[in-house]
Amino acid sequence: MPASEDLLKRLGVDIDSETLRLALTHRSYAYEHGGIPTNERLEFLGDSVLGFTVTEYLYERYPDLPEGDLAKRRAAVVSTRALARVARDLELGQFVYLGQGEKLTNGADKSSILADTTEALIGATFLSLGIETAKAMVLRLIAPLIEEVETLGAGTDWKTAIQEVAAARKLGQIQYVVEGSGPDHARVFVATLTIGGTSYGSGSGPSKKEAEQEAAASSWRLLNPDSADSARA
């Protein structure tokens, strides 16, 4: 199966080949190939489709929530970190056209590039297939994150959430043990969360911050198994 068809299968849409290639063209690649068009205009378009879709969904799903809480929930699922997580689940990095400099610095796993490309793909879906198909794709990709935010309430940060749980249950001091490995251009960090000297969840990522967030999320699920199960249902 060609790479483009594999990606479209993961997205569940059928974007035309020209628009798809544009959506995957990072500016570093475009610069090295004579200044061809980049995905930045599609990213701009996709950002608007994403924001509107999530806003409409939250407005209809939570009729009693005040504006401030709706805004926090929206921010949680349209953030760079959230979109990069969606992209990693899709293994999107392998499909992005990057310049040599970005390739050497592991650009295929940079959260900013992954998030921007995800938005560009949303914009490409809108252009190729219309607003309803684009909205359906957004909700399909983002729904798991919305469910997690619902479980956390207005919380948008796993590290904050785990601090609140640890304090409420008087579990002790929180500490993150982080180790890095690999060459400078492709470092991978693994974080383990300990509370009161007991190890809980661990997580990995291209930065210490992301590894700690994943460790906090994993630990939160271990401490709240019933809520975690309902969020996945």
Side-chain angles (χ1 to χ4, degrees):
M1 178 185 295
S4 58
E5 292 185 17
D6 189 14
L7 175 58
L8 292 176
K9 184 176 180 180
R10 298 179 192 194
L11 293 172
V13 295
D14 189 18
I15 305 169
D16 71 86
S17 59
E18 183 178 349
T19 306
L20 177 62
R21 184 178 178 88
L22 179 60
L24 297 171
T25 301
H26 186 257
R27 63 176 177 269
S28 62
Y29 181 90
Y31 176 78
E32 292 181 6
H33 289 76
I36 62 176
T38 76
N39 64 2
E40 291 177 351
R41 284 171 54 84
L42 283 177
E43 174 199 336
F44 171 78
L45 181 61
D47 176 69
S48 295
V49 175
L50 170 67
F52 172 75
T53 302
V54 173
T55 299
E56 181 184 45
Y57 177 85
L58 293 174
Y59 182 85
E60 293 178 351
R61 177 159 181 162
Y62 304 106
D64 299 323
L65 276 186
E67 182 271 342
D69 286 344
L70 290 173
K72 288 179 180 178
R73 292 182 183 224
R74 179 179 60 191
V77 298
V78 302
S79 66
T80 295
R81 183 167 63 87
L83 292 176
R85 177 177 162 188
V86 169
R88 290 189 180 102
D89 287 343
L90 293 168
E91 299 181 346
L92 179 58
Q94 64 181 298
F95 301 103
V96 182
Y97 294 99
L98 297 170
Q100 290 302 312
E102 287 293 352
K103 287 182 179 179
L104 292 173
T105 56
N106 201 29
D109 196 42
K110 286 183 179 177
S111 292
S112 58
I113 291 177
L114 292 174
D116 290 347
T117 306
T118 300
E119 289 182 331
L121 287 168
I122 294 170
T125 302
F126 168 71
L127 280 185
S128 292
L129 303 168
I131 186 62
E132 293 304 322
T133 300
K135 287 168 60 177
M137 185 184 78
V138 167
L139 293 178
R140 190 164 58 249
L141 296 177
I142 301 297
L145 302 182
I146 295 175
E147 295 301 323
E148 287 186 0
V149 171
E150 181 177 4
T151 302
L152 286 171
T156 62
D157 188 320
W158 286 112
K159 293 178 71 173
T160 299
I162 200 68
Q163 286 176 350
E164 292 173 350
V165 170
R169 301 183 189 180
K170 299 180 180 179
L171 298 177
Q173 183 178 0
I174 288 177
Q175 182 179 9
Y176 292 89
V177 179
V178 184
E179 297 180 352
S181 62
D184 290 341
H185 67 274
R187 296 283 282 176
V188 175
F189 295 90
V190 176
T192 301
L193 174 62
T194 64
I195 309 177
T198 300
S199 295
Y200 285 87
S202 61
S204 62
S207 69
K208 292 181 179 180
K209 182 177 180 180
E210 291 185 58
E212 290 177 353
Q213 284 284 355
E214 291 299 320
S218 177
S219 300
W220 189 93
R221 295 186 187 102
L222 287 172
L223 290 167
N224 298 274
D226 293 337
S227 295
D229 289 341
S230 63
R232 293 190 184 98

